[in-house]
Amino acid sequence: MRKKLIEAIKAAFLSEGYGFFQGFADKIQGSELTLPALWLTPIEVAGMSGRNDGKVTYKIVLYLFVQNEQYDEQQKEEKWEELERIARKGIATLPMISDVISTDKVTIKPDEFAFTSFGELSQTVTFLADVYFCNE
């Protein structure tokens, strides 16, 4: 299920032109990002119900990065609004292209500081994704 969920997240954002990277957040600084980029941290199980059949709730944390063109504050707000739209669209796409049955508790937060030496603009996106499972 994890692999399918990761592939679905990748597909949802590749369609927006974002490069896909994954790993723990502390590895972002030393990575070779090509912008725009999506960085997916390892997904974690946030809850589970059922034994043989049930539902797993995954917590997803990802970062969206775009080049900072020395934007003034108004331009940053516009860019963050664009990133928010892309995040919402990507999350909304997941149930249509994967086994995700619902998403919940979405937070999208502009990041105050750059993660890399590129000086990029970024947003941290967190949400829960519910997936049904069946143990055979």
Side-chain angles (χ1 to χ4, degrees):
M1 287 188 300
R2 296 172 64 89
K3 185 175 180 178
K4 288 172 82 173
L5 181 55
I6 291 168
E7 289 302 316
I9 293 168
K10 182 178 180 179
F13 288 91
L14 283 177
S15 68
E16 292 291 327
Y18 279 69
F20 180 80
F21 303 86
Q22 64 186 104
F24 288 100
D26 65 345
K27 303 294 185 212
I28 295 171
Q29 176 63 36
S31 67
E32 296 292 325
L33 290 178
T34 53
L35 301 177
L38 172 137
W39 185 281
L40 176 65
T41 63
I43 60 176
E44 63 182 82
V45 174
M48 189 169 78
S49 62
R51 286 187 188 164
N52 292 327
D53 299 327
K55 178 181 76 171
V56 177
T57 301
Y58 289 104
K59 180 179 179 186
I60 288 101
V61 178
L62 56 88
Y63 301 89
L64 294 176
F65 298 106
V66 293
Q67 186 67 43
N68 184 356
E69 303 292 340
Q70 302 303 316
Y71 298 120
D72 64 28
E73 292 306 310
Q74 181 179 348
Q75 291 169 319
K76 283 183 184 178
E77 284 297 330
E78 291 168 3
K79 201 59 154 169
W80 281 325
E81 187 171 332
E82 179 185 334
L83 287 170
E84 180 182 322
R85 180 191 56 76
I86 289 167
R88 288 191 326 262
K89 182 178 176 185
I91 292 167
T93 302
L94 292 176
M96 293 180 272
I97 64 172
S98 70
D99 294 334
V100 171
I101 53 173
S102 66
T103 56
D104 195 17
K105 299 191 178 177
V106 177
T107 62
I108 304 171
K109 177 184 77 71
D111 294 309
E112 186 173 359
F113 301 106
F115 284 80
T116 71
S117 59
F118 298 127
E120 75 286 336
L121 286 179
S122 62
Q123 283 191 329
T124 302
V125 180
T126 60
F127 63 97
L128 300 177
D130 293 325
V131 179
Y132 283 127
F133 71 89
C134 179
N135 292 330
E136 297 177 12

